[in-house]
Amino acid sequence: LLSRLRELNVMHVFGIPGDYVLPFFDELLDAPHGVDHVMPCNELNGTYMADGYAKRVGYGAMAATFGPGCLSATNGVAGAYADDVPIILICGTPSTGVLAEPTDRLLHHAIGTNFEAYLEMFRPITIQSRRIARAEDAAELIDEMLETSWKMKKPCYLEIPYDLQTAQIAVPAAPLNLSSASAGPRLEGALGRAEGLTECVLALVSQLGASCASTFGCKDGSFESSEQSVGIYSGLMSKDFTRLAIEGKGPSHVALAVGMTNNEFDTGVFTSQMGKNNLIAISHNQVIINGDVYRDVSMVDFLPGLLEACKLMSPVEPLRPQAPLFHYDSSVQITPSMADLTIDRMMLMFSHYFQCGDVLFGDAGGMI
């Protein structure tokens, strides 16, 4: 499992030890596998850390014990499911003998004698919720779960019984099959960021002479700093210039939405007028062209192919902003005073304080 996580660029596993998962942590802490342990304050924090880690490197992992350990992680897992973030929650459970035999005896951390309860709880908020029942099935099950989670950009939940956590198993020689994994940045959408397609998308923008925008849910400096950026698109909540550039008019206007979620944030509370005609919408594993759905087409395959095809076209002059986009300029001086702290003043102060490369975290509601 740890070797496979290494293939997904996971060099750190977040987790809190507990009695049912101690053999796994012994291996995590002591074995020479190249994966380090990071101790969070609690399981919920650790799962959110795995979520953030996945957004930076492509995949994240959290480990916890049976019962309150994995239950404390449910909010973080559910959030990862809602936001298309691939992580794995590894849960140590009682041994296979205990799980397999009906009993009236109560074990700590268990919900009565229902040992399937946690698997059932995680099914609606994961792409797979499974348990390793036999050591000989472990390798295939682990590979299938990680590949599915990675490709679909959804979290998964894996239970490993106490007596199987350090079992010796045959390891497949072939690496994980990630060839059709789909994710990546966007012209104006929020999904994907993990496949390193930013340069491909920006090259596509340049080749087409296209205007580009981000949405509220995916503010991205790569696009906002582009000379062809027209700002942040959010339906009728956008600046008029931005909205007209993205929604466009006439048969020659084609919009390309890469990973746009179409939620209330990205559509300006569903006021977007992009429609279906003259729209190519690219998501993780499908492409929609003028309303026609093409399934099992991955973003990571489609975008480079589209770029190559567009190289046969002559670039057109892009639509340029007629006025500076809305921003706070650090060249504007601020004078200390006891005046009320307004949003404008605070943002202007931020422009003097923050440096290129700083990462900011903010609650979506407050950031509006």
Side-chain angles (χ1 to χ4, degrees):
L1 174 58
L2 294 172
S3 297
R4 289 310 204 195
L5 288 174
R6 278 285 302 274
E7 292 183 40
L8 296 174
N9 204 31
V10 174
M11 303 299 176
H12 303 84
V13 170
F14 305 94
I16 294 183
D19 41 15
Y20 290 124
V21 74
L22 290 178
F24 173 84
F25 272 91
D26 285 341
E27 192 77 8
L28 176 61
L29 294 171
D30 298 334
H33 42 63
V35 178
D36 293 328
H37 170 235
V38 178
M39 175 78 82
C41 294
N42 55 59
E43 290 85 358
L44 178 60
N45 285 6
T47 309
Y48 283 134
M49 293 166 76
D51 179 297
Y53 191 89
K55 290 172 179 174
R56 299 296 292 179
V57 307
Y59 205 85
M62 169 68 192
T65 193
F66 195 63
C70 65
L71 291 181
S72 295
T74 51
N75 280 356
V77 173
Y81 188 88
D83 290 340
D84 297 285
V85 181
I87 64 173
I88 183 171
L89 175 60
I90 304 160
C91 176
T93 75
S95 64
T96 53
V98 173
L99 296 174
E101 296 180 9
T103 179
D104 293 328
R105 296 179 177 179
L106 299 179
L107 295 182
H108 69 292
H109 295 344
I111 299 178
T113 57
N114 181 8
F115 297 124
E116 307 302 310
Y118 305 117
L119 289 169
E120 294 297 330
M121 290 179 182
F122 278 98
R123 286 201 170 100
I125 56 174
T126 59
I127 194 69
Q128 288 193 11
S129 175
R130 303 177 68 179
R131 175 189 297 154
I132 297 175
R134 304 188 310 164
E136 51 266 39
D137 300 331
E140 182 179 355
L141 188 150
I142 288 170
D143 285 4
E144 180 185 345
M145 289 190 71
L146 291 178
E147 289 170 358
T148 302
S149 172
W150 172 271
K151 292 173 184 178
M152 301 305 294
K153 303 307 171 192
K154 295 289 186 182
C156 61
Y157 171 70
L158 175 63
E159 290 188 352
I160 310 179
Y162 186 92
D163 55 321
L164 297 184
Q165 290 170 29
T166 55
Q168 298 295 310
I169 63 172
V171 179
L176 289 173
N177 178 17
L178 307 176
S179 59
S180 60
S182 57
R186 72 305 297 160
L187 294 179
E188 53 190 24
L191 300 179
R193 187 173 293 205
E195 289 295 341
L197 289 174
T198 301
E199 295 303 321
C200 175
V201 177
L202 289 175
L204 187 60
V205 169
S206 177
Q207 179 66 30
L208 293 174
S211 302
C212 64
S214 298
T215 56
F216 177 87
C218 81
K219 279 181 61 63
D220 189 310
S222 300
F223 294 98
E224 292 177 32
S225 61
S226 167
E227 291 184 355
Q228 291 161 234
S229 172
V230 293
I232 308 297
Y233 176 73
S234 187
L236 289 177
M237 297 172 64
S238 315
K239 294 173 78 77
D240 288 343
F241 176 84
T242 302
R243 181 175 56 81
L244 293 174
I246 295 301
E247 295 178 357
K249 298 294 181 182
S252 63
H253 179 90
V254 176
L256 180 65
V258 184
M260 188 172 176
T261 62
N262 293 315
N263 60 27
E264 76 277 23
F265 283 156
D266 289 356
T267 61
V269 194
F270 309 112
T271 59
S272 171
Q273 298 297 314
M274 292 180 67
K276 294 182 178 179
N277 295 327
N278 295 335
L279 172 66
I280 302 173
I282 307 169
S283 61
H284 291 319
N285 57 359
Q286 73 176 21
V287 175
I288 303 176
I289 302 176
N290 290 340
D292 295 327
V293 180
Y294 300 87
R295 304 188 187 281
D296 299 322
V297 179
S298 68
M299 183 187 294
V300 77
D301 295 329
F302 184 83
L303 280 175
L306 181 62
L307 174 61
E308 289 303 312
C310 289
K311 288 180 179 179
L312 302 176
M313 303 167 55
S314 299
V316 298
E317 184 66 24
L319 178 66
R320 303 284 188 183
Q322 301 301 307
L325 297 176
F326 182 79
H327 67 281
Y328 293 90
D329 193 339
S330 60
S331 65
V332 178
Q333 297 301 309
I334 55 175
T335 303
S337 74
M338 296 302 293
D340 291 342
L341 180 61
T342 63
I343 293 294
D344 283 347
R345 183 172 176 79
M346 182 177 70
M347 291 297 180
L348 187 59
M349 294 175 70
F350 282 169
S351 72
H352 286 264
Y353 176 76
F354 292 124
Q355 302 297 315
C356 182
D358 287 351
V359 177
L360 286 80
F361 294 85
D363 173 74
M367 294 301 288
I368 292 178

